[in-house]
């Protein structure tokens, strides 16, 4: 079976690594991929194709010419732009939601109204397009707020202000200075919730929902959850705070109603639905939905998947998820992101990375922002590598991940030393 995977981050390298284990795979094309998916060429089943994820017409043409049997779309931007629709219209099967279903991530204003329509627990909110009305709302509410650009802003469009002045500054930044461009045309002001966060992802064929092991991301740059927000500096799974009974509740009150609601509104969702949750003292509340695998959550969830990912993706596309076997490994996985100097601000590119060639047991180095420069692999993005370790428990997984990190270096490399601390606060690094 020929598969086309769209995207170029750590998530896509993890997807490629897992898909390459499928006996049903003939060739996996990654568009455009990174230096990690190119190295896997040695297995001769994976090939990078130099088509950017935004080039819908070229991707559709490629899929037709190469007789692609299934396309898997990794990132949100091409999903929100309608790549899945264009491929389906050309007769190509796609694991990933339509543009209409991807609205659940691409418009926070849509997602909030949708949640209210379908009684999915979430924070109180209001939506504004006018700056002065938004300021008026800030003065009127009696609770602390969070301010969100409604559209896609690469994970940066949410501001959690500490005081009224900061809230006003956030509105100015989004609505007047237009820091996130059109993503800030609408602004959601919502109640700030307290609790621990967890990500629950599920496979869905538009009807059936099958949850994956719960994961925790580490969005802040620095140890102890300090510093600026990033795309994610590490993750681990399963997160023990999300007990089996909590997962059952999240499936029943959040994920299944979302999948049913989307289908009933004429926008069936096929792919991975990701619920970002706050576990409040009153129960789980939905902070956001994403229409795809998380990055770096994919780098810890996929190594725990025992079953064949290609089989599961096909079952979703064919509406047969209810009867598909999905087995998970025991144990845990942890991912440490190695980032460029200056990230999440401006960062240099082209710095040589050493230590990538060493074979590792119980660990894998997923590439994110890397490129090939002659014989050398160099940095090419903010998040450069996602080093994942696994083992019988989280402690072993972290040990294996950090051991592997020690073999790698590049100038200005920065990473968090406390991944998984919420689940193992007494952990000491070796
Ligand atoms: P989102 O992209 O909507 O998940 O927001 C990004 C981050 O902002 C979340 O992971 C939370 O840390 C924080 N956040 C979002 N909404 C809220 C909220 N209502 N209360 C508290 N924190 C929030
Ligand atoms: N790690 C958060 C996300 O993928 O949205």
């Amino acid at each position: 079976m020929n598969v086309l995977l769209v995207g170029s981050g750590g998530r896509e390298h993890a997807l490629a690594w897992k898909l390459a284990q499928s006996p049903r795979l003939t060739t996996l094309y990654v568009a455009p991929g990174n230096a990690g998916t190119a190295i896997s060429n040695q297995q001769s089943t994976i090939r990078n194709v130099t088509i950017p994820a935004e080039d819908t017409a070229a991707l559709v043409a490629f899929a037709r010419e190469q007789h692609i049997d299934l396309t898997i779309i990794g990132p949100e931007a091409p999903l929100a732009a309608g790549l899945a629709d264009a491929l389906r219209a050309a007769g190509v099967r796609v694991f990933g939601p339509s543009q209409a279903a991807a609205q659940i991530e691409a418009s926070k204003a849509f997602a909030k109204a949708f949640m209210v329509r379908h009684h999915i627990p979430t924070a109180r909110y209001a939506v504004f397009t006018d700056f002065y009305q938004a300021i008026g709302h800030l003065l009127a509410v009696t609770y602390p707020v969070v301010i969100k650009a409604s559209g896609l802003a690469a994970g940066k469009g949410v501001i959690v202000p500490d005081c009224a002045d900061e809230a006003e500054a956030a509105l100015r930044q989004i609505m007047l200075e237009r820091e996130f461009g059109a993503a800030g045309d609408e602004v959601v002001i919502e109640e700030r919730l307290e609790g621990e966060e967890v990500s629950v992802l599920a496979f869905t064929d538009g009807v059936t929902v099958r949850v994956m092991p719960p994961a925790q991301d580490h969005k802040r740059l620095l140890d102890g959850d300090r510093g600026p927000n990033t795309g994610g500096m590490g993750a681990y799974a399963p997160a023990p705070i999300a007990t089996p009974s909590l997962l059952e509740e999240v499936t029943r009150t959040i994920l299944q109603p979302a999948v049913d609601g989307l289908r009933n509104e004429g926008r069936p969702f096929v792919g991975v639905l990701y619920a970002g949750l706050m576990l409040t003292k009153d129960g789980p509340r939905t902070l956001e939905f994403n229409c795809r695998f998380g990055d770096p959550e994919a780098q810890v969830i996929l190594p725990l998947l025992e079953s064949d990912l290609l089989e599961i993706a096909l079952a979703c596309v064919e509406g047969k998820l209810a009867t598909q076997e999905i087995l998970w490994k025991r144990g845990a996985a942890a991912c440490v992101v190695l980032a460029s100097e200056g990230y999440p601000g401006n960062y240099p590119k082209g710095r040589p990375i050493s230590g990538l060639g060493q074979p590792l047991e119980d660990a894998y180095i997923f590439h994110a922002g890397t490129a090939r420069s002659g014989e050398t692999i160099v940095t090419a993005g903010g998040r450069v590598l996602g080093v994942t370790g696994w083992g019988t428990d989280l402690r072993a997984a972290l040990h294996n991940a950090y051991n592997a990190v020690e073999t790698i270096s590049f100038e200005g490399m920065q990473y968090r030393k406390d991944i998984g601390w919420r689940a193992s606060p007494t952990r000491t690094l070796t």
Side-chain angles (χ1 to χ4, degrees):
M1 185 167 280
N2 291 324
V3 178
L4 172 62
L5 171 64
V6 177
S8 61
R11 163 183 50 215
E12 285 74 29
H13 190 189
L15 286 164
W17 168 83
K18 183 66 190 168
L19 289 166
Q21 295 165 20
S22 172
R24 295 190 63 182
L25 183 73
T26 312
T27 303
L28 176 66
Y29 299 94
V30 193
N34 58 33
T37 54
I39 294 174
S40 320
N41 281 355
Q42 289 151 1
Q43 298 164 14
S44 77
T45 47
I46 309 186
R47 280 190 207 140
N48 281 358
V49 185
T50 50
I51 306 174
E54 303 77 47
D55 194 342
T56 302
L59 289 167
V60 171
F62 179 85
R64 295 187 68 157
E65 282 156 20
Q66 298 296 326
H67 306 288
I68 294 296
D69 299 294
L70 179 70
T71 300
I72 298 178
I73 303 171
E76 63 277 17
L79 290 164
L83 177 59
D85 308 73
L87 285 160
R88 285 191 188 111
V92 182
R93 294 191 294 183
V94 185
F95 179 79
S98 65
Q99 183 172 42
Q103 284 293 100
I104 199 153
E105 171 167 3
S107 166
K108 289 186 189 289
F110 170 85
K112 294 295 286 190
F114 174 85
M115 286 190 256
V116 171
R117 280 201 293 284
H118 297 282
H119 311 290
I120 294 171
T122 189
R124 289 181 279 179
Y125 81 106
V127 180
F128 297 93
T129 51
D130 178 80
F131 173 72
Y132 295 98
Q133 285 183 6
I135 293 285
H137 180 75
L138 272 191
L139 295 172
V141 292
T142 53
Y143 45 79
V145 296
V146 176
I147 296 184
K148 304 182 172 187
S150 178
L152 293 181
K156 295 181 192 141
V158 175
I159 296 164
V160 184
D162 280 327
C163 60
D165 283 353
E166 268 184 45
E168 187 179 327
L171 287 178
R172 276 185 190 283
Q173 196 186 335
I174 300 174
M175 304 185 87
L176 300 183
E177 292 154 25
R178 298 184 58 80
E179 177 159 343
F180 307 113
D185 284 351
E186 285 184 302
V187 167
V188 174
I189 300 183
E190 76 176 35
E191 180 183 8
R192 178 169 173 175
L193 301 174
E194 300 287 334
E196 198 168 323
E197 286 183 54
V198 68
S199 306
V200 180
L201 286 73
F203 293 106
T204 180
D205 59 3
V207 178
T208 299
V209 169
R210 304 283 295 276
V211 286
M212 307 183 203
Q216 252 177 351
D217 188 7
H218 298 59
K219 289 207 171 82
R220 301 293 200 99
L221 179 71
L222 303 173
D223 285 5
D225 285 341
R226 291 174 302 112
N229 260 321
T230 70
M233 293 299 290
Y236 68 96
I241 189 161
T243 58
S245 76
L246 183 89
L247 279 185
E248 186 279 321
E249 181 184 352
V250 167
T251 307
R252 182 170 42 80
T253 64
I254 296 173
L255 290 163
Q256 189 69 56
V259 166
D260 291 344
L262 286 165
R263 187 182 65 251
N264 291 335
E265 292 187 7
R267 29 179 123 212
F269 189 107
V270 174
V272 171
L273 184 62
Y274 165 141
L277 306 171
M278 185 74 89
L279 305 180
T280 74
K281 63 177 175 24
D282 302 319
R285 298 284 181 271
T286 314
L287 296 181
E288 63 165 347
F289 282 112
N290 292 325
C291 65
R292 41 143 184 109
F293 269 107
D295 188 342
E297 289 89 335
Q299 290 89 307
V300 292
I301 291 173
L302 293 170
L304 295 176
L305 180 59
E306 178 76 49
S307 303
D308 183 335
L309 177 62
L310 185 48
E311 295 276 359
I312 297 170
L314 283 170
C316 288
V317 169
E318 291 168 359
K320 295 180 183 158
L321 189 60
T323 53
Q324 174 65 38
E325 183 178 67
I326 304 181
L327 298 174
W328 298 96
K329 293 179 185 164
R330 287 176 193 279
C335 174
V336 181
V337 169
L338 308 184
S340 290
E341 182 176 7
Y343 177 78
N346 292 334
Y347 49 82
K349 291 184 183 176
R351 292 190 166 165
I353 307 169
S354 66
L356 288 175
Q358 320 206 10
L360 297 163
E361 241 181 86
D362 301 325
Y364 197 85
I365 299 164
F366 294 116
H367 289 225
T370 64
R372 210 169 241 290
S373 169
E375 284 307 295
T376 315
I377 293 179
V378 299
T379 65
R383 292 190 290 175
V384 177
L385 300 164
V387 182
T388 296
W390 49 84
T392 48
D393 57 18
L394 180 60
R395 201 183 171 87
L398 286 163
H399 179 82
N400 292 332
Y402 278 107
N403 267 353
V405 166
E406 277 174 21
T407 65
I408 300 165
S409 68
F410 55 86
E411 191 188 339
M413 171 171 121
Q414 52 165 340
Y415 62 93
R416 279 183 62 162
K417 320 259 179 329
D418 67 344
I419 299 305
W421 68 274
R422 283 182 188 279
S424 56
T426 56
R427 180 178 60 84
T428 49
L429 288 179
T430 49

